């Protein structure tokens, strides 16, 4: 997953940081092929090493996983193509500038704060992933699936060292980060493919029926995990990047596209990363579950740990350790940089380097606690649930502002710093569906789309009323 697609990647790498507050000119537009490599690399990263095994801990069946991921990832691609890319080529603005025009600067500051903190937690989970690989030569005890606290001094030291290195590199600027990530991405993709092939051999798979039987009819979830059904897989994989597509974060990417069909390029990320890589990582965990160590955990009623480093090392040796470290690095590094940019919008007097180091410190602190990585399925669902409804504001205004009769980009037109229509639309939709999730034990991904739709509808209703009152 991407965890989150990197808006600044295209801004810095393709356009040199230009056009952050102006539409992209025709001379800088790119064809759809320019986006394929970026999305393929972005979505075969550190998060994939965690997500694949976590599907197994949720007791998925073969049909749920293989067909569910096929459909869910297709829905994500369609969302990018017909919503994100479509709006991006019409306005050619970054998400942040587009939101500022609609919401006002003060409200966008709140969005940036939430975005920055969530970025730090995501980066922290990737520091955790890298630490499981670095700790192998030191015989470090790996965190268990149910662990929330650091499990020893070795873990703490390794996480702090990794976090420090990643933060310092990120603070030196995004140009260095993106060049390194582009070099490493093919290596990581090859490593996932190699891990999958070796794991199939270790599992004795010689036919498609053998492959199917790895998951079979599914099982009960491991202790502390929830049961994933077909619809869990479909909906979760659709909204794993909800903040990026229906949340409109990738407006910043696709504003450089010549045509909306560039949105189809996201299929490279979904089916290389969110399909091949997730299944390959799940196969690594399936091998581990047959080991004496894992069987001991299971016989004691405990969940076997999900530690990407040892899983990859068992399959492809030292190359596996390197791949896990690189995968975690290439995810955490730009994510920390993006968190720094979000914080800089709140603390403009601080330099980019200083806010990036601040973000790195928060991410490193989060990395000390394995819960962020071990509960990644739930965290990603929460991330999308919080941020995706802001995208509904942009989508509903774009497609319906004329029919409803509201002024487009109202905060800009009326010189507002805080658009109450946006705030209350988001707050009510968030509150209603978060209450439903908690009260009735509904998985957050199931209520992300209803919350998104309600937010968009309420925005139109409130805008109509509020704008009429202020005329």
């Amino acid at each position: 997953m991407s965890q989150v697609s990197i808006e600044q990647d295209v801004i810095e790498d393709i356009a040199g940081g230009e056009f952050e507050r102006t539409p992209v000119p025709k001379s800088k537009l790119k064809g759809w092929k320019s986006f394929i490599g970026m999305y393929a690399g972005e979505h075969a990263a550190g998060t994939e090493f965690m997500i694949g095994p976590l599907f197994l801990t949720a007791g998925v069946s073969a049909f749920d996983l293989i067909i569910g991921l096929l459909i869910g990832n297709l829905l994500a691609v369609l969302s990018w193509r017909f919503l994100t890319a479509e709006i991006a080529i019409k306005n050619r603005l970054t998400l942040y500038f587009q939101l500022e025009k609609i919401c006002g600067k003060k409200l966008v500051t709140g969005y940036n704060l939430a975005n920055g903190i969530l970025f730090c937690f995501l980066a922290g989970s990737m520091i955790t992933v890298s630490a499981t690989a670095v700790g192998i030569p030191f015989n470090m005890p790996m965190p268990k699936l149910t662990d929330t606290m650091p499990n020893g001094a070795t873990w703490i030291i390794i996480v702090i060292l990794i976090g420090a290195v990643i933060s310092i590199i990120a603070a030196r600027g995004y140009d260095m980060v993106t060049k390194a990530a582009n070099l490493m991405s093919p290596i990581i993709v090859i490593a996932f493919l190699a891990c999958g092939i070796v794991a199939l051999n270790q599992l004795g798979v010689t036919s498609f029926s053998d492959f199917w039987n790895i998951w079979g009819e599914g099982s009960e979830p491991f202790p502390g995990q929830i049961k994933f059904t077909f619809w869990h897989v479909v909906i979760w994989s659709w909204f794993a990047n909800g903040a990026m597509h229906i949340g409109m974060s990738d407006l910043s990417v696709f504003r450089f596209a010549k045509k909306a069909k560039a949105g189809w390029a996201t299929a490279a990320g979904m089916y290389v990363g969110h399909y091949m890589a997730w299944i390959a990582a799940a196969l690594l965990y399936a091998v581990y579950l047959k080991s004496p160590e894992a069987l001991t955990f299971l016989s004691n009623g405990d969940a076997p740990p999900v530690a990407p480093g040892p899983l990859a090392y068992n399959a492809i040796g030292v190359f596996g350790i390197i791949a896990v470290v690189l995968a975690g690095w290439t995810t955490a590094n730009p994510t920390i940089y993006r968190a720094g940019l979000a914080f800089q919008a709140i603390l403009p007097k601080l330099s980019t380097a200083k806010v990036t180091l601040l973000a790195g410190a928060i991410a490193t602190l989060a990395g000390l606690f394995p819960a962020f990585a071990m509960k990644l399925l739930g965290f990603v669902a929460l991330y999308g649930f919080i941020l995706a409804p802001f995208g509904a504001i942009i989508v509903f205004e774009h497609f319906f502002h004329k029919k409803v009769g509201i002024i487009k980009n109202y905060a800009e037109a009326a010189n507002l710093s805080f658009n109450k229509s946006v705030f209350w639309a988001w707050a009510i939709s968030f509150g209603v569906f978060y209450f439903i999730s908690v009260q009735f034990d509904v998985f957050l991904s199931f209520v992300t789309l209803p919350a998104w739709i309600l937010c968009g509808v309420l925005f139109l209703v409130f805008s109509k009323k509020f704008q009429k009152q202020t005329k």
Side-chain angles (χ1 to χ4, degrees), residues 172-344:
R172 294 188 64 181
Y174 208 81
D175 188 49
M176 180 179 180
V177 172
T178 53
K179 286 180 179 177
N182 288 337
L183 290 173
M184 294 175 189
S185 291
I187 298 173
I188 297 167
V189 172
I190 291 170
F192 273 114
L193 187 59
C195 283
I197 293 171
V198 171
L200 287 173
N201 184 59
Q202 291 174 330
L203 291 166
V205 173
T206 58
S207 65
F208 183 74
S209 61
D210 290 340
F211 173 71
W212 191 269
N213 288 333
I214 292 170
W215 296 276
E217 296 300 319
S219 62
E220 289 300 311
F222 288 179
Q225 306 299 300
I226 68 168
K227 171 68 175 177
F228 262 41
T229 65
F230 172 77
W231 290 111
H232 281 83
V233 176
V234 170
I235 300 299
W236 188 90
S237 58
W238 183 8
F239 296 127
N241 286 110
M244 306 304 121
H245 46 73
I246 65 169
M248 295 293 112
S249 187
D250 276 3
L251 288 179
S252 304
V253 172
F254 284 116
R255 67 198 178 106
F256 290 95
K258 289 181 180 178
K259 296 181 179 179
K261 68 179 183 180
W264 294 119
T266 58
M270 294 302 96
Y271 290 102
V272 172
H274 291 194
Y275 199 75
M276 182 275 287
W278 281 352
I279 291 175
L283 291 171
L284 292 178
Y285 195 58
V287 172
Y288 171 65
L289 290 179
K290 294 183 178 296
S291 68
E293 179 181 273
L295 292 173
T296 299
F297 277 107
L298 291 170
S299 64
N300 292 332
D302 297 323
V306 176
L311 294 179
Y313 177 69
N314 178 56
I316 54 177
V318 175
F319 183 43
I321 295 178
I322 295 171
V324 172
V325 172
L326 293 182
W329 190 91
T330 56
T331 307
N333 223 330
T335 303
I336 287 172
Y337 182 81
R338 289 197 308 280
L341 290 177
F343 291 148
Q344 193 172 36

Side-chain angles (χ1 to χ4, degrees), residues 25-37:
K26 287 185 178 181
S27 61
K28 292 293 184 178
L29 300 183
K30 303 292 179 180
W32 62 274
K33 293 180 181 178
S34 301
F35 299 90
I36 291 178

Side-chain angles (χ1 to χ4, degrees), residues 62-86:
F63 181 85
D64 296 345
L65 184 68
I66 297 167
I67 306 303
L69 288 182
L70 197 67
I71 296 172
N73 286 317
L74 175 61
L75 292 171
V77 172
L78 292 173
S79 299
W80 264 302
R81 167 59 184 87
F82 292 105
L83 292 179
T84 319
E86 201 69 41

